[in-house]
């Protein structure tokens, strides 16, 4: 579903939440594929920066500044 794509920002392994096979396959892929696991973790650590209070405050500041 769309909110998950926007929030995860390609820093997650997406599954069909209604498919047990899809969820199972994703778990197996993460467990067995070291490169996929490390890439997902690295992207996640970068992605989380978008949700810090400092980053969000800067976005508000920039918006307000553009309105003046």
């Amino acid at each position: 579903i769309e909110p998950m794509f926007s929030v995860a920002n390609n820093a997650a392994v997406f599954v069909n939440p209604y498919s047990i096979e899809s969820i199972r396959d994703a778990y197996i892929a993460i467990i067995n594929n070291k490169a996929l696991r490390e890439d997902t973790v690295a992207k996640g650590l970068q992605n989380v920066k978008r949700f810090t209070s400092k980053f969000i405050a800067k976005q508000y500041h920039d918006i307000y500044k553009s309105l003046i």
Side-chain angles (χ1 to χ4, degrees):
I1 56 176
E2 175 47 42
M4 297 305 294
F5 294 118
S6 297
V7 171
N9 195 32
N10 292 323
V13 174
F14 295 103
V15 300
N16 177 346
Y18 303 108
S19 168
I20 292 170
E21 291 81 16
S22 176
I23 296 167
R24 181 200 63 219
D25 291 346
Y27 270 102
I28 291 170
I30 288 289
I31 291 167
N32 292 330
N33 187 333
K34 183 178 179 182
L36 174 63
R37 185 172 56 250
E38 289 177 351
D39 184 57
T40 303
V41 169
K43 287 178 179 176
L45 292 172
Q46 284 299 111
N47 187 48
V48 74
K49 294 176 184 177
R50 297 186 309 138
F51 301 98
T52 64
S53 57
K54 184 176 182 177
F55 185 80
I56 293 170
K58 182 183 179 331
Q59 288 179 311
Y60 275 112
H61 177 263
D62 293 345
I63 289 171
Y64 294 144
K65 191 174 179 181
S66 74
L67 296 174
I68 296 176

